[in-house]
Amino acid sequence: MKIDHPLPVPVREIEHLEIPMPDGTRLAARIWMPDGAERQAVPAILEYIPYRKNDKTLERDHARAPWMAAQGYAYVRVDLRGTGESEGVMTDEYTEIELQDGCDVIAWIADQPWCDGGVGIVGISWGGFNGLQLAALRPPALRAVVSICSTDDRYADDIHYMGGTMLCDHLSWASVMFGINTLPPDPEHVGDRWRGMWEERLDESGFWLETWMEHQTRDAFWKHGSVCEDFGDIEVPVYAVSGWADGYCRAVFRLVENLEGPVKGIVGPWSHRYPHVGAPGPAIDWLSEETRWWDQWLKGIDTGIADEPPLRVYLQDHAVPRTHYEHRDGHWITEPAWPSPKVARTDFALGSDGRLSSAGDVPGGWLTIASPLWVGFQGGKWCSYALPGDQPGDQRRDDAGSLCFETEPLAEPVHIVGDAILRLTFISDRPVAQVAVRLMDVAPDGAATRVSYGLLNLTHRDGHEHPEPLTPGQTYTVDVPMKHVAQTFRAGHRIRLGLSTSYFPIAWPAPEPVELRVLTEQSTLSLPLRDGDYSDAAPFDPPRAAVPLEQAVETPATAEWNVMEDRTTGRVTADIRVHEGAAHIIRHGLTHSAECTERYSILPGDPTSAEGEVTWVHEMRRDDWVVRTVTHTHLSCDSTHFHLRARMQAFEGDTSVRDKTYVATIPRHAV
């Protein structure tokens, strides 16, 4: 990482400012702007998220926002209502009031003397989501969007559900927000109001997981905020960004394909991170690339970015299977459109002898699979955060419980760009079933690296709004799309397809053990093969940023992931521990820390034995002021219901301020 110091122009920082909303609620902001912007106004860039401008995101913001300000922008970082130092209560994601606040914030920014009236919005994850959602509402001052690691579809392609299966990250993510919602504002900025604001959050933020689990199909709850409902609502230019290890890479392709206004997409090898700190590497000089976008659409400077190919992706080379990568080999390629004229689909036939062939010269017949429920423990997380353990390991372990098909060793390299699709003809012995499909790169030594995968709740075969139970013994045909990817399979390697009837702990299992019979001659794997022309792409420059935040690290950030098997019962358990570290922010005199433990376990033959539990411990302290919160959530099930138990504890020093429990039983609806 190149550190730019000094910056090309002096930058002024406003550490805390409160933006009034029409209902009297005040939202907290931190602003960086070039010195003298009050005399010569500049465009503004808004980042609007719940992750606490004063502590949790300050390290990231400090290296990014001043750099952008020095390019001639006011960078405005706003905490959502009910988070950080903003007043009010946040009761869910992307609520009507959140989006209305966002429109009001944009209008307020445009009206300030240091703003020339033009505003862009940027964000990763939550901020990428609501950036698209705000664009669809068309606030007059909004001129352009940069949306990173986000989605256009909150049901079909978010952390809650995948292919109609319920993701275990549904529990994990709800637990993240359960913890964050317990944190108080900083008394340094809000004064004596802090206690009343804190207690209001503790009492009224609610238990989000219960709400989410009451919506198991693609109903109005999930359609709200899903801009794919009408892409035409977005008229401003959009730059969409993600990574192959991120959970959200598919949205980039849909946005490039469907948005009618100026649009650009980039997908790197990265996890859920900004590209200038992208991991696995190579990270890129994203701040310069982003500035080119803002200069084009906020300043009217012809940077050439509007004339470049709309899609740029990192074509990954083979990698030895590991659960964590520092770097992925490969190179950048561009596509002139999406779908790309350089990509053509080729069908591979599935043979009853286990072969996978583009020539179709394989025997047909019925094959049966009933996977043990430990299949999936080599899958990592649905969304990788570039932490040890959260990417897929060697797939041979999961393959042992799967139905597998593979090619002969490849005579020459094969390149795929896009989404592999399995057309599957099958019979189920249960009315509720799911299928997981995995695409692997098998090296000559037998090591199997997962390239992509897909999930489908088979009751959702005709759509996610109105699932229909299967009729045992009846034959069905479905298409199972996999995540988009750009990947090279080397000569001498094999392409392997794996099918399983479960994929825990990525997805919660079906309510009963399932056996699928697969009719191979009516099942095909469609691969998006690319022609191999790479001459039009150049690498990015190395990453750069502003001077890092000065802080004293008391406890370094660590992450652990362990999978264990009870040899007596066969129960398999994944134990995950992530400590975000304890850091003392020198300028604030504030120390903050957070630690998470997650556990997922299951018996190999009993889907109702599945359990998931997540605990977060947060602490904030300054001098004699100490606040600590503990949140714990437990999810289990039987064949007809989900069972939730949760507890929230909040302490000031050694004094208990709140101790609340939540209990819920929620019917399963074909999931």
Side-chain angles (χ1 to χ4, degrees):
M1 175 75 75
K2 180 180 183 295
I3 303 301
D4 289 334
H5 182 73
L7 292 169
V9 300
V11 172
R12 175 190 172 209
E13 179 181 353
I14 302 172
E15 185 174 291
H16 179 74
L17 179 148
E18 297 184 359
I19 302 174
M21 295 292 97
D23 67 354
T25 302
R26 305 182 70 84
L27 304 188
R30 182 186 292 263
I31 304 175
W32 295 261
M33 65 182 73
D35 194 26
E38 294 92 340
R39 299 183 300 276
Q40 185 172 354
V42 296
I45 301 168
L46 168 65
E47 187 170 11
Y48 177 58
I49 52 177
Y51 304 132
R52 304 179 59 85
K53 70 175 180 63
N54 203 46
D55 41 74
K56 277 187 172 291
T57 68
L58 184 58
E59 180 181 9
R60 183 199 73 184
D61 297 344
H62 193 274
R64 167 185 162 78
W67 197 98
M68 300 299 296
Q71 314 311 309
Y73 293 92
Y75 197 97
V76 185
R77 176 53 189 86
V78 176
D79 285 337
L80 301 187
R81 178 184 294 246
T83 70
E85 295 156 330
S86 291
E87 296 175 344
V89 175
M90 183 171 63
T91 58
D92 205 344
E93 306 171 309
Y94 323 120
T95 59
E96 295 282 2
I97 190 62
E98 173 187 331
L99 298 181
Q100 183 57 55
D101 282 348
C103 291
D104 292 332
V105 166
I106 289 169
W108 180 89
I109 292 171
D111 197 42
Q112 299 309 298
W114 38 261
C115 179
D116 69 1
V119 180
I121 189 166
V122 64
I124 180 171
S125 197
W126 193 308
F129 280 51
N130 67 20
L132 293 173
Q133 294 164 19
L134 287 168
L137 296 176
R138 302 181 187 175
L142 185 63
R143 303 285 191 267
V145 174
V146 173
S147 183
I148 302 170
C149 301
S150 74
T151 191
D152 58 324
D153 193 327
R154 293 186 56 216
Y155 180 82
D157 198 21
D158 193 5
I159 205 163
H160 308 289
Y161 295 91
M162 183 179 185
T165 67
M166 189 179 76
L167 297 169
C168 290
D169 272 18
H170 190 64
L171 164 65
S172 178
W173 176 239
S175 301
V176 170
M177 293 311 301
F178 194 25
I180 288 177
N181 287 342
T182 66
L183 298 179
D186 189 343
E188 188 83 0
H189 288 147
V190 303
D192 292 340
R193 291 182 294 152
W194 80 270
R195 178 179 288 280
M197 293 169 66
W198 184 35
E199 292 183 342
E200 184 182 21
R201 294 176 189 180
L202 296 174
D203 291 336
E204 298 182 24
S205 290
F207 183 44
W208 295 8
L209 182 59
E210 179 179 1
T211 301
W212 294 348
M213 294 191 68
E214 290 172 343
H215 299 275
Q216 296 168 26
T217 60
R218 195 172 190 279
D219 59 11
F221 180 83
W222 300 113
K223 290 179 183 180
H224 167 75
S226 293
V227 299
C228 64
E229 290 294 303
D230 188 350
F231 285 110
D233 287 339
I234 297 178
E235 296 180 337
V236 298
V238 173
Y239 202 151
V241 183
S242 186
W244 301 131
D246 180 43
Y248 296 100
C249 61
R250 295 191 290 184
V252 173
F253 293 84
R254 291 193 300 272
L255 291 167
V256 170
E257 179 178 0
N258 290 291
L259 291 181
E260 297 176 1
V263 61
K264 191 172 179 65
I266 180 172
V267 186
W270 316 302
S271 297
H272 200 68
R273 301 178 70 163
Y274 268 98
H276 63 292
V277 289
I284 64 171
D285 181 13
W286 168 249
L287 298 187
S288 294
E289 177 73 0
E290 185 182 328
T291 299
R292 294 177 66 225
W293 184 257
W294 299 130
D295 284 352
Q296 180 79 39
W297 303 113
L298 295 183
K299 292 183 178 179
I301 300 171
D302 185 0
T303 65
I305 201 166
D307 301 320
E308 295 169 359
L311 184 61
R312 186 167 182 167
V313 300
Y314 191 75
L315 180 64
Q316 296 181 144
D317 198 356
H318 167 72
V320 174
R322 297 194 183 100
T323 60
H324 178 70
Y325 297 96
E326 295 291 340
H327 178 88
R328 288 296 303 264
D329 290 338
H331 57 267
W332 292 97
I333 61 175
T334 62
E335 303 295 349
W338 194 260
S340 173
K342 297 182 179 181
V343 175
R345 289 199 170 273
T346 299
D347 286 344
F348 287 71
L350 280 57
S352 59
D353 58 357
R355 283 190 291 156
L356 188 64
S357 172
S358 60
D361 55 342
V362 293
W366 289 94
L367 296 176
T368 300
I369 180 64
S371 301
L373 296 173
W374 45 255
V375 172
F377 276 86
Q378 292 302 312
K381 277 268 193 183
W382 176 83
C383 183
S384 167
Y385 296 89
L387 298 174
D390 73 3
Q391 291 211 42
D394 195 319
Q395 297 297 288
R396 284 178 286 188
R397 298 182 186 181
D398 283 348
D399 288 346
S402 305
L403 188 60
C404 292
F405 306 86
E406 70 178 28
T407 65
E408 297 294 328
L410 299 172
E412 56 186 21
V414 170
H415 315 279
I416 66 171
V417 178
D419 55 335
I421 300 172
L422 175 66
R423 172 154 291 181
L424 182 69
T425 298
F426 70 95
I427 291 173
S428 172
D429 70 341
R430 293 290 185 270
V432 178
Q434 61 183 232
V435 65
V437 296
R438 293 172 293 118
L439 189 67
M440 277 82 71
D441 174 5
V442 183
D445 66 358
T449 304
R450 197 189 75 191
V451 170
S452 185
Y453 75 105
L455 301 170
L456 181 62
N457 178 341
L458 295 170
T459 71
H460 288 231
R461 61 196 176 276
D462 296 321
H464 297 307
E465 293 189 41
H466 305 290
E468 290 289 338
L470 300 159
T471 300
Q474 182 173 324
T475 302
Y476 298 93
T477 298
V478 297
D479 286 342
V480 187
M482 302 184 213
K483 284 183 62 180
H484 292 66
V485 72
Q487 179 72 36
T488 294
F489 295 86
R490 295 179 181 177
H493 288 223
R494 299 172 187 257
I495 300 173
R496 178 181 294 164
L497 174 71
L499 283 71
S500 59
T501 54
S502 63
Y503 205 44
F504 185 81
I506 285 184
W508 203 265
E512 299 178 279
V514 172
E515 179 181 276
L516 295 182
R517 296 182 64 210
V518 175
L519 184 57
T520 60
E521 66 261 33
Q522 294 185 19
S523 301
T524 55
L525 173 65
S526 172
L527 292 182
L529 302 186
R530 193 179 190 274
D531 64 12
D533 175 14
Y534 318 127
S535 59
D536 58 350
F540 288 92
D541 289 334
R544 59 200 301 180
V547 174
L549 177 69
E550 186 181 6
Q551 54 185 347
V553 176
E554 297 182 0
T555 303
T558 57
E560 303 169 8
W561 187 306
N562 295 294
V563 176
M564 298 161 289
E565 180 183 5
D566 185 320
R567 298 297 297 275
T568 302
T569 65
R571 180 174 284 275
V572 182
T573 301
D575 274 328
I576 306 163
R577 176 182 174 271
V578 177
H579 199 305
E580 294 183 352
H584 180 75
I585 302 171
I586 304 299
R587 62 191 294 180
H588 292 163
L590 178 72
T591 301
H592 64 102
S593 68
E595 181 176 11
C596 171
T597 55
E598 298 185 54
R599 171 172 288 187
Y600 304 94
S601 70
I602 200 165
L603 293 168
D606 180 6
T608 65
S609 69
E611 292 186 81
E613 55 184 317
V614 184
T615 300
W616 276 93
V617 180
H618 291 266
E619 184 175 279
M620 298 171 60
R621 51 188 163 87
R622 177 188 288 112
D623 301 327
D624 295 333
W625 179 73
V626 180
V627 166
R628 182 171 64 92
T629 67
V630 182
T631 54
H632 177 80
T633 308
H634 183 273
L635 171 63
S636 61
C637 69
D638 54 38
S639 61
T640 60
H641 290 79
F642 293 108
H643 305 287
L644 304 178
R645 300 197 316 270
R647 184 181 184 186
M648 180 266 288
Q649 298 169 277
F651 303 89
E652 184 182 359
D654 295 326
T655 302
S656 174
V657 177
R658 290 292 187 279
D659 190 340
K660 301 178 66 173
T661 58
Y662 304 83
V663 178
T665 296
I666 299 170
R668 299 176 72 146
H669 299 294
V671 66

